[in-house]
Amino acid sequence: MSAGPTTSSRSEALRIDASRLMDRIMGLADISPIAGGGNCRLALTDEDKHGRDLVVSWMRDLDMDVSIDAVGNIIAIWNVGSGSPVMTGSHIDTVRTGGKFDGNYGVIAGLEVVETCQKNGFTPSRPLAVAVFTDEEGARFAPDMLGSLVYVGGMTTEEALDINAIDGPRLGDELVRIGYAGSAPCPGLVPHAFVELHIEQGPLLEANNVRIGAVTGVQGISWQEVTIVGQSNHAGTTPMSLRHDPTYVAAEIAVFLRKLSASYGAHQVCTVGKVDVFPNLINVVAARVTMTLDIRNTDEALLQRAEQEVSEFLKEVASSEGVSITTKKLARFEPVEFDNRVIDVIEKISISLDNTTQRMPSGAGHDAQMLARVCPAAMIFVPSVNGVSHNAAEHTDTDDLVAGANILLQSMLALCTTEFDRV
Ligand code: GLV
Ligand code: MN
Ligand code: MN
């Protein structure tokens, strides 16, 4: 009589169900569609609540233990095996003009990992957890990665609950309003390891004709809000020489950032993504402009230098135009390096499944960078068509989505049996 397959050869043969994965991605995208095929599910809005309810119903269908913590993070655990769980997860909030895949893909692929094991009668040696972190985008409540930051103890719950949205409401009140003010404590359970699957959101994999990125880390990010107060006046009668025009100053700042990026090289990126002009009328020199600066670099020293140069420029331009400028820090995270042991696991599995594979840093922020503070963590990237993201046209080919989910599955199972020496 021949022996049955070993546990490891059985697990290596497991493959996710492509149509179930795609059905769930499209099902979540149906919740809050926008023109052009994208989604608007800003954190803690009604749309976010509907998305959460759907994902939680899927978690319950898989008999996972679902808990909601004090900042609304959803943690679902398939309680099998022993020890701390191998966790995956991401976010389901979007920017206002988001796509179907940013964040959502990683969460849904996590559920697919659990369902694939269950349907094939395979029991991992550790629990598997799938997390939905609150407000990863930071588009409604800064900073970004807020839920995962609180989850790992990088910000107190009280501080997070007191943050106000760009449209006014307090985060804590919005959580109560949508029914996601939970009772599980933060910081939360420390996973054995964390691996996040995500679309690249940039052009590199496609340009290199490579299917899988084994992500080595995340660049540093600096967000600030700049408020420029000038002298509002009549657009027809006020001589140019007598103006104190905050809109002009905002434009100067945007141009300065573009020139600074060019002088620092390709790793320096700067963005003015939000500009609010008051009173915002054609024939009124504005009274006030509020704008956001998003400055990122993989090198912390260069990022600090860029921040310093920006700060000096703000003083110069305020004095030359006769306006006042104040700044408010919205987010500041240093560059993060992922755990080499987890990167190795992802890379080896990707290659063994016949995928072209490269190591690469992430340009976007991700929840995995917060989890990296408490456990071995890394990420898997799949290509973004035309490198487009934070845009309704965001797209990844189904074959790539399926390949990424299979690598997530095999990586999570491999991490169940990987022992890490904690230092
Ligand atoms: C998160 O999406 C970011 O802005 O990097
Ligand atoms: Mn994301
Ligand atoms: Mn995003």
Side-chain angles (χ1 to χ4, degrees):
M1 213 167 76
S2 68
T6 62
T7 304
S8 83
S9 68
R10 273 189 61 215
S11 71
E12 281 161 20
L14 294 175
R15 294 292 178 271
I16 65 105
D17 182 319
S19 54
R20 208 166 49 200
L21 175 78
M22 295 312 295
D23 284 353
R24 285 206 180 109
I25 290 175
M26 295 309 158
L28 184 52
D30 278 348
I31 297 263
S32 47
I34 56 168
N39 278 111
C40 176
R41 229 173 12 252
L42 287 163
L44 311 189
T45 55
D46 289 353
E47 293 76 21
D48 188 17
K49 174 202 167 32
H50 294 141
R52 286 164 171 261
D53 290 351
L54 181 62
V55 171
V56 167
S57 75
W58 289 332
M59 291 168 160
R60 296 223 154 98
D61 289 346
L62 297 176
D63 280 332
M64 300 178 82
D65 294 338
V66 180
S67 64
I68 315 292
D69 71 22
V71 291
N73 294 317
I74 303 167
I75 310 291
I77 302 185
W78 181 30
N79 247 323
V80 290
S82 59
S84 51
V86 170
M87 184 182 279
T88 189
S90 196
H91 60 99
I92 65 159
D93 67 313
T94 72
V95 296
R96 196 188 303 283
T97 51
K100 298 184 186 72
F101 303 102
D102 177 359
N104 310 308
Y105 168 48
V107 169
I108 290 169
L111 297 180
E112 188 52 38
V113 168
V114 172
E115 186 151 8
T116 299
C117 292
Q118 292 181 349
K119 286 262 156 55
N120 288 279
F122 180 79
T123 305
S125 58
R126 286 179 176 273
L128 298 184
V130 180
V132 176
F133 293 109
T134 294
D135 184 45
E136 187 273 353
E137 294 292 4
R140 186 165 182 237
F141 299 92
D144 49 352
M145 287 84 68
L146 181 140
S148 48
L149 179 66
V150 177
Y151 185 84
V152 301
M155 179 189 273
T156 64
T157 304
E158 294 68 33
E159 193 183 341
L161 296 180
D162 256 345
I163 293 171
N164 285 102
I166 53 170
D167 53 330
R170 197 178 149 266
L171 188 139
D173 296 338
E174 286 294 82
L175 276 174
V176 171
R177 189 185 69 78
I178 68 165
Y180 278 88
S183 55
C186 285
L189 174 73
V190 175
H192 176 66
F194 184 87
V195 58
E196 179 174 358
L197 174 63
H198 207 282
I199 55 167
E200 180 200 341
Q201 309 185 267
L204 297 181
L205 289 173
E206 186 180 66
N208 296 345
N209 203 19
V210 168
R211 175 169 267 168
I212 298 296
V215 184
T216 52
V218 180
Q219 68 180 340
I221 179 166
S222 164
W223 279 4
Q224 58 182 307
E225 183 181 80
V226 176
T227 300
I228 310 156
V229 177
Q231 176 60 59
S232 189
N233 213 330
H234 194 291
T237 61
T238 313
M240 298 309 287
S241 60
L242 296 182
R243 292 187 182 208
H244 307 285
D245 182 353
T247 313
Y248 166 74
V249 170
E252 283 277 337
I253 294 169
V255 171
F256 179 81
L257 287 180
R258 174 58 74 96
K259 288 188 178 153
L260 179 140
S261 305
S263 72
Y264 276 47
H267 284 300
Q268 181 63 57
V269 289
C270 298
T271 307
V272 174
K274 185 168 185 293
V275 181
D276 295 303
V277 179
F278 180 81
N280 207 21
L281 295 168
I282 187 168
N283 54 354
V284 181
V285 176
R288 185 178 72 245
V289 170
T290 305
M291 66 198 294
T292 56
L293 314 189
D294 174 321
I295 304 173
R296 308 192 195 197
N297 200 310
T298 46
D299 181 317
E300 173 62 19
L302 285 176
L303 186 54
Q304 286 184 18
R305 206 169 96 199
E307 290 176 314
Q308 184 59 33
E309 283 200 45
V310 169
S311 155
E312 279 157 21
F313 181 74
L314 295 183
K315 285 187 203 122
E316 271 169 41
V317 74
S319 133
S320 65
E321 182 68 4
V323 298
S324 77
I325 297 186
T326 51
T327 61
K328 180 175 157 199
K329 182 169 95 171
L330 296 178
R332 181 64 166 88
F333 301 118
E334 290 187 12
V336 171
E337 282 182 25
F338 286 139
D339 191 294
N340 260 316
R341 297 162 297 184
V342 183
I343 303 168
D344 280 346
V345 166
I346 292 167
E347 188 177 51
K348 282 199 188 107
I349 287 171
S350 176
I351 292 168
S352 77
L353 293 177
D354 287 334
N355 296 293
T356 46
T357 307
Q358 72 169 82
R359 291 185 173 219
M360 62 190 296
S362 170
H366 295 290
D367 294 308
Q369 77 189 81
M370 298 306 165
L371 273 292
R373 295 185 183 192
V374 296
C375 69
M379 296 184 70
I380 307 161
F381 274 176
V382 293
S384 291
V385 171
N386 296 323
V388 170
S389 186
H390 284 185
N391 182 317
E394 176 183 282
H395 182 72
T396 296
D397 291 336
T398 300
D399 288 352
D400 295 339
L401 295 169
V402 171
N406 276 318
I407 295 165
L408 178 68
L409 164 67
Q410 294 300 331
S411 299
M412 289 183 77
L413 297 184
L415 291 168
C416 282
T417 54
T418 305
E419 287 314 319
F420 297 101
D421 294 329
R422 309 278 171 165
V423 273

